[in-house]
């Protein structure tokens, strides 16, 4: 009997997609260059350069909830083919939610966080850990991110 064992891609074969540049690769000087598997398919990066091809450096893997809660742009939710889809960046990044309730709660938590940050900008002396609303929102985000 024979079988096939799934092999992880080689470092130079691993590629990601950006909205503006298409496929990009992790630069050989990056500490993540030899990483052949990421738990999440999403990376954030600091620097993008083009030599023989487009490379990213100073990258870190980011999981779904931090990306939805802290990523730029508006969060939208819609029903597509019977699934509740949360989208970011004008629909370029999409996630399927476990249920309508989960999608609504994540969207609402993002709205609350955005409003909390706006309040903090208006009142820089506000201590988010002391005010009841701020501490509840931050506590919920910490719990969600650490238990996902």
């Amino acid at each position: 009997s024979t079988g096939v064992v799934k092999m992880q891609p080689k470092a130079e074969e691993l590629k990601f997609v950006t909205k503006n540049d298409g496929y990009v690769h992790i630069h050989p000087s990056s500490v993540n260059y030899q990483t052949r598997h990421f738990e999440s398919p999403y990376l954030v990066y600091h620097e993008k350069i083009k030599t023989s091809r487009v490379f990213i450096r100073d990258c870190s893997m980011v999981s779904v909830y931090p990306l939805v809660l802290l990523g730029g742009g508006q969060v939208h939710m819609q029903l597509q083919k019977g699934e509740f889809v949360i989208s970011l960046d004008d629909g370029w990044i999409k996630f399927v939610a476990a249920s309508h309730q989960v999608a609504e709660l994540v969207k609402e938590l993002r709205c609350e966080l955005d409003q909390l940050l706006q309040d903090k900008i208006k009142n820089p002396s506000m201590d988010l850990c002391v005010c009841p609303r701020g501490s509840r929102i931050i506590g919920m985000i910490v719990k969600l991110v650490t238990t996902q």
Side-chain angles (χ1 to χ4, degrees), residues 7-8 35 55 76 125:
M7 299 286 292
Q8 295 294 337
T35 304
F55 291 100
H76 299 282
S125 63

Side-chain angles (χ1 to χ4, degrees), residues 13-42:
E13 296 172 342
L14 194 62
K15 55 188 171 183
F16 295 87
V17 180
T18 65
K19 186 176 182 179
N20 297 328
D21 296 299
Y23 288 110
V24 298
H25 301 265
I26 297 175
H27 195 274
S29 68
S30 174
V31 295
N32 281 326
Y33 181 70
Q34 292 300 324
T35 304
R36 296 168 64 181
H37 174 74
F38 293 94
E39 293 295 318
S40 171
Y42 303 101

Side-chain angles (χ1 to χ4, degrees), residues 32-33 74 98 102 107 111 126-127 135 142:
N32 281 326
Y33 181 70
Q74 294 287 323
V102 169
K107 184 178 177 185
C111 290
M126 180 172 75
D127 187 346
S135 63
V142 168

Side-chain angles (χ1 to χ4, degrees), residues 4 7 13 19 22 38 40 48-49 58-59 69-70 82-83 90-91 94 97 116 120 130 133 140 145-146:
V4 176
M7 299 286 292
E13 296 172 342
K19 186 176 182 179
F38 293 94
S40 171
K48 182 170 50 173
I49 59 171
D58 305 325
C59 59
L69 294 173
L70 303 170
E83 296 180 314
D90 297 327
K94 295 180 180 183
L116 183 64
K120 177 67 174 171
V130 174
R133 182 171 162 261
M140 181 57 64
V145 170
T146 57

Side-chain angles (χ1 to χ4, degrees), residues 41-89:
Y42 303 101
L43 296 180
V44 293
Y45 60 89
H46 175 65
E47 185 176 30
K48 182 170 50 173
I49 59 171
K50 184 174 183 177
T51 55
S52 59
R53 53 188 172 177
V54 180
F55 291 100
I56 56 174
R57 286 198 289 215
D58 305 325
C59 59
S60 296
M61 184 205 70
V62 63
S63 53
V64 173
Y65 285 127
L67 187 59
V68 172
L69 294 173
L70 303 170
Q74 294 287 323
V75 174
H76 299 282
M77 186 195 66
Q78 59 193 57
L79 184 62
Q80 292 181 352
K81 298 179 183 176
E83 296 180 314
F84 294 98
V85 177
I86 300 171
S87 64
L88 300 169
D89 199 14

